[in-house]
Amino acid sequence: CNEETWHVLHWSNEEVETLFEGSIAYRGVCSIRHEVDKAIHILQPHVRSKLDSILDNSNLVISNDEIDNAIKSSFVSILSRSFEDDETNGSKCIPVLDMCNHSSNGGNIMHGTDSLDGTVVVYTKTELKAGMELRYSYDDDGHGVATEESGENIKYDNDLMDGEKLKP
């Protein structure tokens, strides 16, 4: 599997049918692929126009297939880096978490959303020493998500002693 084929958006229809038809994931996979295909149909002419104006006096040629693949790859980046957000009942992207290592045992940071302006804030779960790597757990069952208490910006984590404050 190479970099451009590891995500279902880059797979052929035949591969999707063979691997997903009849599974619980089939409808979701088809829905995502359909939405991205619609976006490519809308975005491709605009990207083509901009590229043509930039490359006007150049010998460089970029095909429509290359543009389509670039748009599709952009969606792969967004889809593979977004999180479901129970606080807003939607999804969000948190690029700073891409710079952190994954941890399967809870990690040492978590994120929360400021209820006033929606700003994403990253908090430590424990005291960190200079030079320690930041580790984030993507499937923490709530341990990785900060919460608010009594309208104050006091963050708690289930792994800490009851009522122990986290350090922003």
Side-chain angles (χ1 to χ4, degrees):
C1 162
N2 69 44
E3 190 175 307
E4 290 186 359
T5 61
W6 71 268
H7 196 278
V8 70
L9 288 179
H10 291 290
W11 296 358
S12 70
N13 289 335
E14 183 180 314
E15 289 172 310
V16 169
E17 293 294 325
T18 300
L19 295 171
F20 288 101
E21 190 173 31
S23 75
I24 60 173
Y26 181 71
R27 179 181 280 166
V29 167
C30 290
S31 176
I32 288 171
R33 287 169 55 90
H34 178 71
E35 289 297 317
V36 171
D37 285 346
K38 284 189 338 188
I40 289 171
H41 179 75
I42 293 167
L43 293 172
Q44 200 260 17
H46 300 286
V47 173
R48 163 59 56 206
S49 173
K50 187 66 173 175
L51 278 175
D52 287 347
S53 69
I54 292 170
L55 302 174
D56 190 29
N57 296 323
S58 168
N59 291 332
L60 185 62
V61 176
I62 298 176
S63 71
N64 286 343
D65 285 344
E66 290 173 304
I67 293 172
D68 293 355
N69 192 49
I71 294 170
K72 196 177 289 187
S73 294
S74 298
F75 274 94
V76 168
S77 292
I78 292 168
L79 290 169
S80 64
R81 288 165 175 81
S82 63
F83 296 82
E84 293 299 317
D85 183 9
D86 294 334
E87 295 174 30
T88 63
N89 208 17
S91 295
K92 61 185 171 188
C93 256
I94 310 173
V96 72
L97 295 180
D98 279 343
M99 295 183 283
C100 301
N101 287 319
H102 175 74
S103 173
S104 59
N105 62 357
N108 59 10
I109 62 169
M110 61 189 206
H111 74 277
T113 306
D114 185 299
S115 61
L116 297 176
D117 66 4
T119 301
V120 174
V121 183
V122 177
Y123 295 90
T124 64
K125 290 173 139 185
T126 61
E127 190 74 34
L128 298 177
K129 294 183 171 122
M132 285 181 70
E133 71 178 5
L134 301 179
R135 292 174 283 114
Y136 185 80
S137 179
Y138 297 109
D139 33 74
D140 227 350
D141 289 339
H143 297 284
V145 179
T147 57
E148 289 189 350
E149 177 85 8
S150 307
E152 301 172 30
N153 284 330
I154 299 173
K155 309 299 178 186
Y156 295 89
D157 176 69
N158 296 337
D159 290 336
L160 298 174
M161 293 172 46
D162 190 32
E164 186 177 350
K165 294 180 186 179
L166 293 170
K167 303 186 179 26

